[in-house]
Amino acid sequence: MLRWVLFCFGCYTLTELACYIRYLKDAATLASYRTGLPPSFDYAEWTRFFADRVRRERAHNPRALLALVSGIFWSRPVTHLHEENVKAMLLMMATAREKHDGPTSDEDASMADDLVSEVNKAMISIHGHPLLYGKDEQSWIRINNPTTNHVVQAPVYQPVLLHSTKRIVRAIADELFRKCLRCERFLCDDTGIVYWVRRNRPVKHGRVLVILHGLGLGAVPYIPFISTLISAVRETYSVVIIPEMPMISGHRARRHDPLGGPFAKLGELRPPYPRSDEIAESMLTFLRERSGHEITDIVCHSYGSTIATYLTTHQPNMIDKIVFLDPICFFTRNSIFWLDAYRPMSSREIGLLFLRGQISRGCKKLSNALIFGDLDHAHVTRNCTWVMEHVDREKLLGENTLLIMGTEDDRVAAEDVASYMAAYNPAVTCHVMRGWRHSRVIFERHSATKMIAAFLNVDS
């Protein structure tokens, strides 16, 4: 018996070692890829939006502006920040350019001076003094885009049993989509996006609804929520589309160019994760081909609001009504969410928290490690996401927009977002739920779908 146990343990150890070597190889390979800004990115438009948004934030809620600045410097207190460091950050953020991109124009430099003065006004109103004079070498800028952050990816190795469990859950979820939700599965070869399509019986309105998931395991945790929502809106929507992004949903990366190939030498390496404009084009094309429509309503949660922002930026005409659940795409203290994506984590740290009896902190670190520590998630959040693309430009905000957020959400500054909307976009409908944490809206599906259905003019 003992020999059999030792034999099984040895086989498992060898399997784990082989998987760990494969993991190290995959991590080194992924670190060499970047998903860049689209060629059509409008730098001038972004600059105008960012500068105007800083001014509006300072006028409306100076404390929120200072929280944003602090977050970009890894939550370093604003009272410890120097003026030249903040100016460099604002210049880079406003122009989406760094020093290696070439010299800064006099106009951009003047704008950066103006924005620093806005931050100083906020400092004086809150703390009674401006930013520290000069600059220092301690204030590291943290911006989630693949150019500015030259940070080594820090994924956490997931054991074979955990990895196998996730594969099994993914396979079971696929069957639930087919048999319980009665969805058809389609794959976009160009982007790697998997589309699940549910067709309801003919209804008088015949509209289309798209549901966009957050980080984790794609739409898998959303199945009960999606089922409840489909039931609530079945009289209005003849087609429901559930896109699942590659890599962050348990599905493979799209076909991409190998390192060292001919495209790499030309500087045109096709990355595993698609660009924002490619995602938007794929969704519009799929919408036309599979539903016969060119306009859709959208319900998006967490990181799904980033995908929705890709659509509002690149294909705004395809969107009618949009529902944001726990949105991370709005400017107000927008960087809260990304701290989890960039904060270093390790299995040793998580284990020590549990051994010390800090169960709550340990569980939170563990949940973050399972998501942000996953190799593919670490790649997407660090190497494929640009702050200039995931911040909503506020073009479509109005009476066709609904926001549902929680006051205890540690990733979304719900009350700051709602306050800003009330001041500058009063037509937006906001529901700020007391005591709700991030993603509770998904598990409080009956309350949430009732609010969503009412907004979409559906009798629930």
Side-chain angles (χ1 to χ4, degrees):
M1 181 65 180
L2 179 60
R3 293 177 65 182
W4 174 250
V5 171
L6 292 175
F7 174 76
C8 292
F9 178 76
C11 290
Y12 174 77
T13 302
L14 290 175
T15 302
E16 199 74 71
L17 179 61
C19 290
Y20 184 68
I21 294 172
R22 171 73 179 272
Y23 159 82
L24 294 176
K25 180 182 177 181
D26 291 344
T29 301
L30 276 180
S32 301
Y33 287 97
R34 298 288 187 274
T35 297
L37 283 170
S40 60
F41 181 77
D42 191 332
Y43 288 87
E45 180 191 14
W46 164 257
T47 299
R48 288 192 298 271
F49 166 78
F50 182 84
D52 290 343
R53 192 63 177 78
V54 167
R55 297 184 185 102
R56 289 199 300 272
E57 195 68 60
R58 198 277 308 167
H60 174 69
N61 190 350
R63 191 179 298 276
L65 175 60
L66 297 182
L68 173 69
V69 172
S70 173
I72 291 174
F73 285 95
W74 293 89
S75 296
R76 186 177 175 86
V78 288
T79 52
H80 296 176
L81 295 178
H82 289 68
E83 187 172 296
E84 291 300 316
N85 296 87
V86 174
K87 179 181 176 180
M89 178 274 291
L90 292 169
L91 179 63
M92 182 197 65
M93 285 283 288
T95 61
R97 293 170 58 85
E98 295 186 88
K99 289 183 178 179
H100 59 71
D101 292 319
T104 303
S105 68
D106 292 340
E107 182 180 359
D108 288 341
S110 176
M111 175 201 59
D113 288 333
D114 179 53
L115 296 182
V116 167
S117 70
E118 295 290 337
V119 175
N120 274 328
K121 290 175 184 177
M123 284 288 296
I124 292 171
S125 66
I126 300 299
H127 297 287
H129 60 81
L131 295 164
L132 298 176
Y133 181 75
K135 65 178 181 179
D136 70 353
E137 301 300 327
Q138 303 300 317
S139 301
W140 299 98
I141 301 174
R142 176 190 55 78
I143 303 295
N144 51 299
N145 69 58
T147 299
T148 306
N149 284 281
H150 305 289
V151 182
V152 178
Q153 295 185 68
V156 176
Y157 174 69
Q158 298 184 354
V160 173
L161 290 177
L162 177 59
H163 192 67
S164 300
T165 300
K166 290 170 68 175
R167 284 179 172 270
I168 293 171
V169 170
R170 176 72 260 181
I172 294 173
D174 288 353
E175 288 303 307
L176 290 175
F177 273 110
R178 290 188 179 96
K179 295 182 178 180
C180 297
L181 297 182
R182 301 198 304 275
C183 292
E184 295 180 82
R185 184 183 187 274
F186 301 90
L187 172 66
C188 174
D189 290 328
D190 186 53
T191 60
I193 298 174
V194 171
Y195 291 95
W196 296 99
V197 180
R198 157 73 178 254
R199 301 183 188 277
N200 295 326
R201 60 182 175 79
V203 292
K204 58 183 179 180
H205 298 297
R207 289 155 60 185
V208 180
L209 179 65
V210 172
I211 302 174
L212 301 172
H213 64 80
L215 297 175
L217 196 58
V220 174
Y222 297 80
I223 290 177
F225 171 81
I226 291 172
S227 178
T228 304
L229 182 59
I230 287 176
S231 298
V233 301
R234 63 182 180 275
E235 297 299 327
T236 298
Y237 296 98
S238 58
V239 179
V240 177
I241 301 174
I242 307 154
E244 289 194 290
M245 298 298 111
M247 303 185 74
I248 59 173
S249 58
H251 298 299
R252 294 180 179 180
R254 69 172 178 179
R255 289 199 298 267
H256 49 281
D257 296 324
L259 295 174
F263 293 100
K265 296 177 182 179
L266 296 173
E268 299 175 355
L269 192 67
R270 176 184 168 94
Y273 195 77
R275 293 192 315 262
S276 59
D277 58 329
E278 293 175 318
I279 293 174
E281 180 63 28
S282 171
M283 290 193 182
L284 177 60
T285 301
F286 187 86
L287 181 68
R288 287 171 176 166
E289 294 179 352
R290 298 297 174 179
S291 73
H293 292 72
E294 294 191 1
I295 298 177
T296 181
D297 294 341
I298 292 177
V299 174
C300 56
H301 174 252
S302 191
Y303 178 77
S305 66
T306 294
I307 304 300
T309 298
Y310 295 167
L311 301 180
T312 61
T313 300
H314 298 288
Q315 302 291 346
N317 294 328
M318 70 177 285
I319 299 175
D320 186 10
K321 294 188 175 183
I322 185 166
V323 178
F324 291 101
L325 309 175
D326 299 335
I328 62 167
C329 63
F330 293 112
F331 187 91
T332 310
R333 295 176 63 185
N334 186 71
S335 59
I336 291 177
F337 175 85
W338 301 100
L339 282 173
D340 287 326
Y342 280 84
R343 185 175 286 124
M345 57 185 74
S346 68
S347 302
R348 179 177 178 274
E349 179 187 6
I350 296 170
L352 287 175
L353 288 174
F354 282 110
L355 289 175
R356 292 168 183 166
Q358 300 177 0
I359 306 300
S360 179
R361 287 188 61 196
C363 289
K364 184 175 180 180
K365 286 278 188 181
L366 178 61
S367 65
N368 285 340
L370 290 175
I371 298 176
F372 298 104
D374 174 76
L375 180 59
D376 287 341
H377 279 73
H379 172 69
V380 171
T381 54
R382 288 172 179 261
N383 293 355
C384 308
T385 307
W386 292 74
V387 67
M388 298 82 183
E389 284 281 279
H390 77 243
V391 173
D392 188 89
R393 307 290 179 81
E394 306 177 19
K395 293 179 180 178
L396 301 186
L397 296 182
E399 61 183 8
N400 282 352
T401 308
L402 168 67
L403 275 65
I404 302 178
M405 306 166 287
T407 56
E408 299 303 314
D409 194 331
D410 59 351
R411 299 173 183 175
V412 179
E415 292 176 295
D416 286 349
V417 172
S419 175
Y420 175 83
M421 293 300 169
Y424 292 99
N425 298 288
V428 172
T429 302
C430 289
H431 293 303
V432 178
M433 311 306 294
R434 296 291 168 187
W436 282 24
R437 295 181 178 274
H438 196 77
S439 294
R440 184 173 170 182
V441 65
I442 302 302
F443 300 104
E444 296 280 351
R445 61 182 189 276
H446 296 291
S447 301
T449 54
K450 187 175 182 179
M451 288 184 283
I452 295 170
F455 172 76
L456 297 174
N457 294 324
V458 179
D459 295 329
S460 57

